Amino acid sequence: MNPKAASKKRKAVTRDVEEEAGVFSGDELSKGNLDGSLSDTANDLSDSENDDSDSEVELVDDFSDSEDGEEELDSDEIPSDTEEIKPAAGEPNFRIVKDANGNDRYLWDEIHPDDNSELSEVDENANTIGDIPLKFYDEYPHIGYDINGKKIMRPAKGEALDALLDSIEIPKGWTGMTDPQTGKPLEISQEELELIRKVQMNEVTSEGYDPYEPLVEWFSSQKEIMPLSAAPEPKRRFVPSKHEQKRVMKLVKAIREGRILPYKAPEDREEKDEELINYDLWADEVERADHVMHIPAPKLPPPGYEESYHPPAEYLPDNKERKEWEQTDPEDREKDYLPNDFGSLRRVPGYDNFVQEKFERCLDLYLAPRVRRSKLNIDPESLLPKLPSPEELKPFPTACATVFRGHKGRVRSVNVDPTGIWLATGGDDGTVRVWELLTGRQLWSVKLSDDEAVNTVRWRPGKDAVVLAATAGDDIFLAVPPIVNPEIEKASLDLLDAGWGFAASRPAPSASEEGKKNNAPTWIRPESALLDAGVCVVIPLRYVPKTISWHRRGDYFVTVCSGASTPASVAISIHTVSKHLTQFPFKRRLKGGGPPQTAHFHPSKPILFVANQRSIRAYDLSRQLLVKILQPGARWISSFDIHPTSSSASGGDNIIIGSYDRRLLWHDLDLSQRPYKTLRYHRKAIRAVKFHPSGRYPLFADASDDGSLQIFHGSVTGDMLSNATIVPLKVLKGHKITGELGVLDIDWHPREAWAVSAGADGTCRLWM
Amino acid sequence: MSEDLVTSAAADSAQRQVRVQLISQQEDIALPESTGPILVPTGLRRYALSTLVNNLLSSEKPIPFEFLINGTFLRTSIDEYLVDNGISAETTLEIEYHDDWVSATDVLSTTSPAASWASGATFTPGQERILSGSYDGLLRIWNMSSETIATSPAAADGGHTASIRAAKFVSPNQIASAGLDRTVRLWKYTEGEGGFTGKISPQLELYGHKAGIESLAVHAKSNRLLTGSADNNVGFWSTKKTDAPAAPENLLPSSNARNTKRRKLNTSVSTPQRGPLTLLSAHTAPVSAAIFDGKDATVGYSTSWDHSLRTWDLVTGALVDTRTTSHSLLSLEHLPELSLLAAGTAARHITLIDPRASATTVAAMTLRGHTNAVVSLARDPHSTYGLISGSHDGTCRIWDIRSTKTDKEGVVGESVYSITRKSLEEEGKSDSKRVGGEGVKVFSVCWDKTVGIVSAGEDKRIQINRGEGVLSSQA
């Protein structure tokens, strides 16, 4: 309580109180620190008349907040407050004396008859009904009985009206309360009120005590100019004391005589107590594991930039994001805060959600106690499918067995013949060469073009005839190398020559067709030098074909002119060997992804796969329909290959795709348009990919500009449930990188796990 | 070569000259860049050109070069070649010169099988001969002073039209050879007085295979030949003209439909043509080797790229047994005393197979050490446990099949000794590692008691090593 209020109180105390019953000045009361709430309560009390002690306590509470609520104070007991105060004064009303036996004996104070204790004071008019609610007497005219058994009559009703009239002019000492004992309005004099206040404030109740008397500073820290005493300094303050010297000499003598010994370490005493055994209960205590029910608190993620008081600008939400965040339900918000920039740490305000969060945390702890979750103790490695080790997947090519030297300039294409004895290569020097595969001996060579490179060489599949297709410049050459026995050579020549008749019997193109730019080319015989060398047929295509792919039966092959300047209608051509016929099946360019890159026939179904730079399309040739579109996600497809067992008994179609953006993609056509697996192991563009052509070895390989080949195991299972297993097996290095180019083409031996690669360094290599 | 010398100076065409550009694939014998086209008389033949190139190279030891014009060997004078091919003498001819890879060797000595089979002819000790067949289609007979005594005729004169892959002495005066021209040829070999000149003349041509012949085995006592070919067949032939059936018409060169000028076949010489006694077909891939059983000539063994080793009863032509391994087999040798078959594989090792054992135990032992395909095997004449192998990695390794250890892959042996190619040392690159044995591949190896280890390969040399005392000879 501030001093001002205190003085007010004292003022109130000093005020005269008229003893006039039932008449109190309400003004005075309200001034004496009775605030509005008190008066309200008082009004309520006066209305109901049947108050209980609680409301009174509340009233007292309002008086002084230091008072304990449990202290009950009945209004009618206020006159007898002296007795209440007595124990507080600490004076017991008895004395303890010793009796003859020496025991304590309590001598109680005598009770004075005029002491206003409850025992002595008998109020004649007091109600004797006891501690029952007065409302029991509501239906009676009386409200109880006095000590003599006479009815105490209810105050006349007119009194209430009088009281109302009186309240207009509130008498002094009016409290608005009703004495429950008498049922009359309770009147408290100003003195009594002051007494109550003092009791409540734990003040000394006696009159005239001032707890705030001014302090008289007798001894101050300040040095006085004039000392209290003018006496001179006593001698003892500056003459050494003889007595002290005597004492010192005594001590010195005692030390010299050894009567006073220096301080001994207390360990001597410990030695004496050797018998005392100290048990170290915790000597061999080992750290125990946490209790089974111990649950450590979850680890919170470390705070990020977003939670900083000064986050980078990109973390700050713009207005739209802020609005969106505010509009979403708090439960649906992705994060429960918005990054906020305060500029500096001292501008950071108090955390407004602190109470809320603590509350929720307590709720969580109470409603959702932590539960020990049985941790899944699984090695993540074990969840991965078991990949067999490369050792188990032998055989696969591991070392270079033969180097084929002879080409000048890059070797662009390489192909092993269906019997697996010969190798055909074509290179920048315009020659096509046939080699003995195992020894690297060149058996045959023909120069197809003086200035243009041989882009592709591909043997015709099938062992009934030996035909080699090669492209150099704009032309496609079909050759029968003179390395086979006369029988097969004759069969091969017959195969190629059979078409001349068809070509001759075909009606000559009409005049209108003649005018068209892109009519089909006619197959012609080569010049005599090439004819002697073994080349039988030339197909002048007018645009540079970059890839050849034979149909499995060996009657058709598809060539793709991937040059950007090639008209779309002639970019893909299908050639029929038996009829010497060239067709252009596609009139328009494939949508999306630039010019077509390469094309292959499906190994068993009449489906042609055509790849442009970004997608691969599968066309059903018999129904003339687009069957499937693959989106490998590569930026520029360089090559692809179809699994040899595709659509046969052992599973669906699988395709591998190599791309210039270093990716090797495995597509399972039954799964999705997107790749089943993406392998990025090369540092540079992938030029060629190839499956092992026999179903015997589940191998595939790719060739890259980083000068290496990579061999993979890729086994396809027959059932639709399990996916293909792909295991990288071996990186084969050996080709030198020449002019940014490494390995340009790759092929497999038809039966063995041997791979052949063509390098930009002018060599081919056999790996086995 | 002597006959080349005789006809080298053709006076009639001395006045004609042609510009030739001499080129070579091999860097070590290449002429310097500055050497432009040279004017040479068109009458020159191979020998004269060879002398010319040797002079130009100023090489100490003259190398007998072969000359290749537009992919064919020069077997005539340049003049005849120009006329034959209708090329004007004004054009610059590009002549590629090289001496060629040696693909097959055999030895004739007192201890060689051929000498022991010698029926009528006598063999004089000290006149050991080495036979070589090479990729240029020529057989050469060498004496021990590395002089060529005889060369087989060129294709035009009844010689092989393509590379020779196998050649063997049948007897001191008979040679059998086979190659990529799908024929087995039998030659009569006669030596002049003193043994400095000889003559190889065609005796018999055997047709039957449809692809190149990879190997040839001879059993002279019964006059039988065994060949393995890339057409997946094993051929069983008789060396006697009278025994052999007629040649299949469709395989004869005359039936060739393509009338090409570049191949002039059998124009001057007509050699009797015969067919096979049996063609044993069971293999599914090229047959790499076929041999007779060392004790019983009626049993043959063959290995193939199809991973199998097959045993044949040659009397009935029936397939007796098939052992399938896990790798392509490229060579075969029989060790009759141990009843083991050694097969060299493409997977860089040698598998020893016991043909008698039950089919469950395929490989009795594996010999590891080579770094490339093992393409040739020969027995040690001193020890029954010895074996030599020639490999594409450019080494020959001697193996003692007793020095083995057992590891997780079974019984594995290591080589006792390794012979590298001398040609690498001559080049001063003996230490350099050749990738895939490039340039030094060994194609054929032969071990004779008298001569030693004879090996030949891609370096165009025949190398002879003394092979005595490498293995303890006690049986």
Side-chain angles (χ1 to χ4, degrees), chain A residues 178-239:
Chain A
T178 313
D179 187 352
Q181 301 287 315
T182 59
K184 286 177 183 168
L186 183 67
E187 289 159 14
I188 299 173
S189 70
Q190 195 64 37
E191 269 175 10
E192 284 168 334
L193 208 59
E194 182 62 16
L195 198 65
I196 291 167
R197 192 194 64 78
K198 279 187 174 170
V199 167
Q200 283 181 332
M201 300 298 291
N202 268 351
E203 286 174 6
V204 180
T205 47
S206 63
E207 203 73 25
Y209 173 75
D210 184 5
Y212 303 109
E213 275 179 68
L215 174 77
V216 179
E217 214 175 351
W218 299 109
F219 303 99
S220 71
S221 57
Q222 278 140 12
K223 195 171 181 181
E224 300 292 327
I225 300 162
M226 299 298 288
L228 290 174
S229 162
E233 282 274 283
K235 195 180 173 183
R236 64 178 176 274
R237 295 215 182 137
F238 49 88
V239 174

Side-chain angles (χ1 to χ4, degrees), chain A residues 337-389:
Chain A
Y337 60 89
L338 268 184
N340 217 338
D341 192 5
F342 296 108
S344 70
L345 200 52
R346 78 190 137 80
R347 296 218 180 96
V348 178
Y351 184 46
D352 47 356
N353 282 341
F354 182 77
V355 176
Q356 173 84 21
E357 262 180 22
K358 292 296 144 188
F359 173 71
E360 275 170 4
R361 171 84 182 126
C362 292
L363 266 191
D364 281 351
L365 288 174
Y366 160 56
L367 292 170
R370 269 184 234 152
V371 178
R372 174 170 292 275
R373 206 168 30 176
S374 56
K375 214 176 189 177
L376 280 176
N377 198 9
I378 299 172
D379 183 18
E381 293 290 316
S382 68
L383 290 176
L384 292 170
K386 281 273 172 292
L387 286 181
S389 86

Side-chain angles (χ1 to χ4, degrees), chain B residues 193-209:
Chain B
E193 216 34 55
F196 294 109
T197 54
K199 189 169 167 54
I200 301 174
S201 49
Q203 210 173 32
L204 191 63
E205 287 178 10
L206 297 171
Y207 289 89
H209 279 304

